[in-house]
Amino acid sequence: MRIPVDPPGFLAVKASKLPVYAHIDWGDCMFLQLFTGGLLLGCIYGLVAMGLSLIYGVMGIVNFAHGAFVMLAMYGSFWLYKFLGLDPVISSPLIALFMFGFGVAIYHLIIGKVLKGPFLARLLVTFGLGIFFVNLAQFLWSPDYKMVQKSITHGILMVGPIFVELPKLAASVGSLVVAGLIYWFVRKTKTGLAIQAISIDTQAAALMGINIQRLNAFAFGLGCASAGAAGAFLASFYYIFPDVGTMFGLVALVAVALGGFGSTEGALIGAIIIGIIETVGGFIVGSEYKYALIFVAYLLIVIIRPRGLLGWGAD
Amino acid sequence: MHSKQVKRLRGYVLITLVLALVLGVSGGIMAQETIKIGAVYPLTGAVATTGADCRSGVELAVDIINGVYDLDFPFAKAAGIPNLGGAKIEVIFGDTRGDPTQGMAETERLITEENVVTVVGGYQSGVVKTATMASERLQVPYVLSDATSPALTERGFKWFFRVIPHDGIQAKNALELVKDIETKEDTVLPNLAILWENTEWGANVALEIKTWAEECGFKLVADVPYTYRATDVTSEVLKLKAAKPDVIIHAAYVSDAILFTQTMKAMDIRPKVMIGMAGHLDPNYLNTVGKDGEYFFVRAVYGLDLATRKPMVEKINELYKAKYGHDMSPNAARSFTAPFVVADAINRAASTKPEDIRQALAETNIPGSDLISPYEGVKFDPVTQDNVLGRSLYLQVQDGQFRVVWPFELAAVPYVYPFPEWDR
């Protein structure tokens, strides 16, 4: 092949390079776009997963009703939007607070009592609660889909050639804020330290004068509050129906296992990894395999590092 | 101490089960002379809204058969089944939850415990596949008017009849629509992308479209399967974006149809022609996505606009509207047909024995004028037992309404082409 050295030839090379360059640029953008999508998705999963991890870490139960709590929070934000005109993003602290109270009530009414029961009951109680709430929602509000039509975060932000969906960005920022709050709370406050003590050794904590029931209820409420925040942010862009939380709950469970049971930071990191695997892996390997990829990653972690990426290992 | 707790738990479980059974029997106490028909639909779970719609269609059909209506429609003027002394039909519903295992179990329950003489419904091909295994084994006829996978009738079942045209015929119709647009607009739309949910139904739609696409000279630039319960479809949609198709054909249920529409809008995917089906017909889809659902072509076997050619469509829709408060959806209209085909067979057989009903079904010959669908009638193929007179329609969403736009000779309004900008 002749390499042109004269000026017109030089120009010709440049010209011929242009479309090639444009093509490569497009490919890079595609990857960046996928990565961004995965990161945003992961942060949203993370918000659901952190509450799940907190509850497990403190009282050793897997909250199978977590997805249902997210669903209830989504309905809550929807009704606030519909009847009071409150945007889901704005009402998210309110929903989180409400879900905190709801969680504490559920703990005192049901979970606290079952915790003293046999292992099987502890395992199944949240499972039953989840089914109950999903069916209750279907009974009360019909299986119809609901949607917040015009959220304030509605729209798209273009970062160079990358599309960033604003509602997802808001949810991700919210997720990071909640992660920060939980981190601060568990490490810096007296109640948080007591919660840590319970998760390390319940009996010793009780002997030191920590009120286990009260703090368990508090931790359960906190877990529900983060599910509530997740629901509120999701409601700003996702459709709402009784079964909506199930898949989020399931993915969150894997994120928690991946990040390490009991570690909220681990849950967030696990969720982000899942989001990226789902989006990038789904694109490269084939979208029909994207959930399979998540579970393969999970299996690998379980084999190589059974307690998860950041798990405490204590039970 | 533990065993006491276990006993108590067992007690609770028992009570729950008894309650579930009592509540599960929809009709409550019933008279003896009724003819029981089973109907299985996904009444809970991700496709519950569609299931509820299908249920309404069946309920209205049975109302018309049982009651006296001043309509020029079969079984409307007389109460019940004339040749059985006006015996009433009673439908017992089973909830498949959209799950094949559950569909089979519910069909078995309806046949063995409720003693239904025929089963209708299913909606999802994956569920119908297992549900019909139960009816075939227990030798009770199953009449399907709402699931379209061709594989269902390829198994040579003796007790299984299908009224709706299957995906092979409907796939051919989709590509005929695109070809007709090409001719009319004097353009070419060679690049085709298929997006499909990967259960039985979606996989079969995709397979049939791929087969016909090759035959019709389309180039398949993207073939994207996905899980309909997916929480996010960014990677799927970016695959479509990279392929730059002229035509996207999407086989979707309702929640995934909503999610894809939103994501395609966010990523600004804009082919010339967008074709949807099933989920895109669900009233919830348009209610949820609003204006973003406009200008999709949607595959259907029913459209309110058919009233311009079949006045009965409008009258039945009025009855439906009076009962449920909204227009009859295409999914409800599909399910509406099966009870009439069953009633017709029972009436001709003048018997409620499953074997007699089966025999009568095989001899069915209902004219197109007795249907609210665009079919030329109902007549079953002696081998596959598929309706040989079925055909599909294409609707386009315009101003929030499903308008019949294809075949052109049945069109109520002209179609809009090309698919416009998203922010409209």
Side-chain angles (χ1 to χ4, degrees):
Chain A
M1 197 183 172
R2 193 180 77 90
I3 299 164
V5 281
D6 46 328
F10 176 70
L11 277 175
V13 169
K14 259 201 148 173
S16 75
K17 253 188 175 173
L18 256 173
V20 175
Y21 176 72
H23 177 75
I24 291 167
D25 189 41
W26 170 235
D28 282 351
C29 287
M30 183 58 93
F31 184 74
L32 268 176
Q33 179 75 66
L34 283 164
F35 193 80
T36 315
L39 197 67
L40 294 179
L41 180 66
C43 285
I44 295 162
Y45 285 156
L47 197 50
V48 184
M50 282 186 291
L52 198 63
S53 188
L54 189 73
I55 292 171
Y56 179 83
V58 175
M59 55 206 89
I61 57 168
V62 178
N63 184 17
F64 289 109
H66 214 66
F69 290 158
V70 173
M71 176 272 294
L72 289 177
M74 286 174 84
Y75 273 102
S77 329
F78 176 77
W79 298 127
L80 282 181
Y81 169 78
K82 186 150 188 211
F83 294 119
L84 300 178
L86 273 179
D87 190 87
V89 176
I90 297 188
S91 68
S92 60
L94 205 66
I95 292 289
L97 202 68
F98 171 77
M99 287 304 288
F100 177 82
F102 181 74
V104 170
I106 289 281
Y107 180 84
H108 281 305
L109 284 173
I110 300 164
I111 310 284
K113 296 194 169 59
V114 177
L115 272 184
K116 295 175 201 139
F119 174 73
L120 193 65
R122 275 191 293 170
L123 194 70
L124 292 182
V125 63
T126 55
F127 197 70
L129 266 180
I131 294 174
F132 172 74
F133 284 126
V134 169
N135 285 286
L136 185 74
Q138 183 156 327
F139 178 72
L140 291 179
W141 306 311
S142 86
D144 285 355
Y145 290 75
K146 311 224 172 348
M147 179 122 194
V148 171
Q149 290 290 357
K150 281 269 179 273
S151 160
I152 46 164
T153 53
H154 181 83
I156 289 154
L157 183 72
M158 294 292 291
V159 183
I162 310 292
F163 292 87
V164 179
E165 292 166 74
L166 278 177
K168 285 188 183 172
L169 186 67
S172 304
V173 172
S175 169
L176 296 178
V177 169
V178 171
L181 281 176
I182 292 180
Y183 188 87
W184 166 80
F185 174 80
V186 171
R187 276 173 183 68
K188 304 290 176 202
T189 65
K190 206 171 167 190
T191 320
L193 289 171
I195 285 178
Q196 274 197 63
I198 295 176
S199 56
I200 292 167
D201 191 330
T202 315
Q203 282 190 335
L207 287 173
M208 294 298 122
I210 293 174
N211 184 339
I212 304 282
Q213 281 294 330
R214 203 174 65 82
L215 282 175
N216 267 354
F218 196 86
F220 196 81
L222 216 54
C224 290
S226 85
F233 282 114
L234 275 173
S236 70
F237 66 96
Y238 210 76
Y239 48 85
I240 303 160
F241 70 108
D243 223 11
V244 65
T246 314
M247 201 64 184
F248 284 100
L250 204 67
V251 174
L253 206 61
V254 180
V256 171
L258 196 67
F261 271 101
S263 158
T264 47
E265 308 90 86
L268 181 62
I269 293 167
I272 291 175
I273 293 175
I274 285 179
I276 290 170
I277 291 177
E278 181 179 329
T279 315
V280 180
F283 185 83
I284 295 166
V285 182
S287 44
E288 66 268 45
Y289 301 117
K290 67 184 193 184
Y291 289 106
L293 286 175
I294 293 173
F295 287 96
V296 166
Y298 168 61
L299 278 178
L300 285 179
I301 290 284
V302 167
I303 292 164
I304 298 165
R305 199 180 155 83
R307 62 199 164 98
L309 293 173
L310 299 179
W312 290 12
D315 195 316
Chain B
M1 187 179 107
H2 262 226
S3 76
K4 217 182 220 172
Q5 272 161 341
V6 169
K7 261 185 199 158
R8 197 186 300 159
L9 188 71
R10 257 189 223 151
Y12 285 140
V13 169
L14 203 69
I15 291 166
T16 317
L17 278 179
V18 169
L19 273 178
L21 272 178
V22 171
L23 296 175
V25 180
S26 44
I29 303 157
M30 55 211 74
Q32 288 297 311
E33 301 80 24
T34 56
I35 304 164
K36 286 190 190 174
I37 293 183
V40 286
Y41 283 111
L43 301 175
T44 57
V47 280
T49 49
T50 314
D53 238 17
C54 295
R55 181 188 177 133
S56 310
V58 170
E59 281 174 350
L60 182 70
V62 172
D63 279 0
I64 292 176
I65 294 167
N66 286 343
V68 179
Y69 291 84
D70 186 24
L71 281 178
D72 192 18
F73 207 69
F75 299 100
K77 291 208 163 78
I81 304 289
N83 291 351
L84 283 175
K88 299 273 199 302
I89 285 187
E90 186 198 344
V91 194
I92 316 248
F93 287 95
D95 180 11
T96 68
R97 293 186 221 151
D99 171 20
T101 320
Q102 192 63 26
M104 190 173 196
E106 280 294 274
T107 309
E108 269 173 11
R109 179 181 73 83
L110 291 177
I111 296 171
T112 57
E113 286 170 35
E114 301 286 351
N115 298 315
V116 300
V117 294
T118 305
V119 181
V120 299
Y123 182 66
Q124 289 154 301
S125 293
V127 176
V128 174
K129 196 169 197 175
T130 56
T132 49
M133 283 176 187
S135 60
E136 187 76 10
R137 181 161 46 79
L138 297 167
Q139 308 204 320
V140 163
Y142 192 118
V143 178
L144 175 68
S145 63
D146 43 26
T148 52
S149 163
L152 294 174
T153 39
E154 280 164 8
R155 298 171 297 175
F157 278 12
K158 194 180 153 210
W159 297 84
F160 177 50
F161 297 85
R162 170 158 56 193
V163 181
I164 195 168
H166 65 64
D167 290 324
I169 297 161
Q170 301 211 31
K172 187 170 149 237
N173 291 343
L175 298 166
E176 280 168 357
L177 161 74
V178 178
K179 283 278 170 207
D180 279 359
I181 293 175
E182 279 184 334
T183 314
K184 201 159 182 184
E185 302 294 329
D186 194 21
T187 180
V188 280
L189 303 165
N191 298 322
L192 178 73
I194 317 176
L195 188 58
W196 46 283
E197 63 82 28
N198 63 357
T199 68
E200 176 83 18
W201 172 71
N204 274 302
V205 172
L207 192 72
E208 293 294 336
I209 288 176
K210 275 179 248 179
T211 314
W212 286 103
E214 206 166 306
E215 205 136 309
C216 300
F218 288 95
K219 187 172 161 228
L220 190 65
V221 292
D223 177 19
V224 185
Y226 65 89
T227 319
Y228 79 94
R229 293 171 60 112
T231 51
D232 182 87
V233 292
T234 309
S235 62
E236 287 86 344
V237 169
L238 285 173
K239 245 183 189 165
L240 288 180
K241 192 170 176 90
K244 300 193 182 82
D246 299 311
V247 179
I248 294 178
I249 300 183
H250 186 185
Y253 289 129
V254 59
S255 57
D256 44 332
I258 297 170
L259 193 53
F260 267 100
T261 303
Q262 288 169 340
T263 314
M264 283 193 210
K265 183 188 180 184
M267 303 289 167
D268 196 30
I269 310 286
R270 211 144 30 81
K272 298 269 178 22
V273 174
M274 195 85 100
I275 298 176
M277 56 195 83
H280 293 89
L281 281 179
D282 192 295
N284 273 286
Y285 169 76
L286 271 192
N287 286 345
T288 312
V289 301
K291 274 206 149 0
D292 296 338
E294 298 264 305
Y295 309 118
F296 277 70
F297 287 94
V298 185
R299 180 183 98 170
V301 289
Y302 173 81
L304 269 182
D305 282 356
L306 279 175
T308 53
R309 294 177 44 101
K310 291 177 179 238
M312 206 45 58
V313 168
E314 197 175 344
K315 287 187 181 143
I316 284 169
N317 183 54
E318 274 162 21
L319 287 177
Y320 187 91
K321 212 169 175 173
K323 188 165 183 193
Y324 299 104
H326 55 90
D327 282 327
M328 193 169 197
S329 76
N331 278 326
R334 284 205 219 181
S335 309
F336 178 83
T337 309
F340 283 99
V341 174
V342 174
D344 173 71
I346 293 177
N347 191 40
R348 278 184 291 107
S351 157
T352 54
K353 284 206 187 80
E355 175 57 48
D356 297 341
I357 299 173
R358 198 208 82 83
Q359 195 55 40
L361 277 169
E363 291 158 9
T364 298
N365 190 2
I366 300 176
S369 56
D370 285 358
L371 301 168
I372 58 166
S373 309
Y375 315 148
E376 287 158 287
V378 181
K379 200 171 184 179
F380 295 110
D381 183 284
V383 182
T384 62
Q385 307 197 147
D386 255 319
N387 180 10
V388 293
L389 300 174
R391 63 174 171 183
S392 69
L393 277 180
Y394 272 87
L395 314 175
Q396 191 178 37
V397 184
Q398 297 181 7
D399 294 322
Q401 302 287 327
F402 289 104
R403 310 305 303 268
V404 176
V405 294
W406 189 91
F408 293 151
E409 71 268 19
L410 287 181
V413 290
Y415 62 81
V416 171
Y417 171 91
F419 190 78
E421 301 256 341
W422 284 98
D423 273 316
R424 50 207 178 214

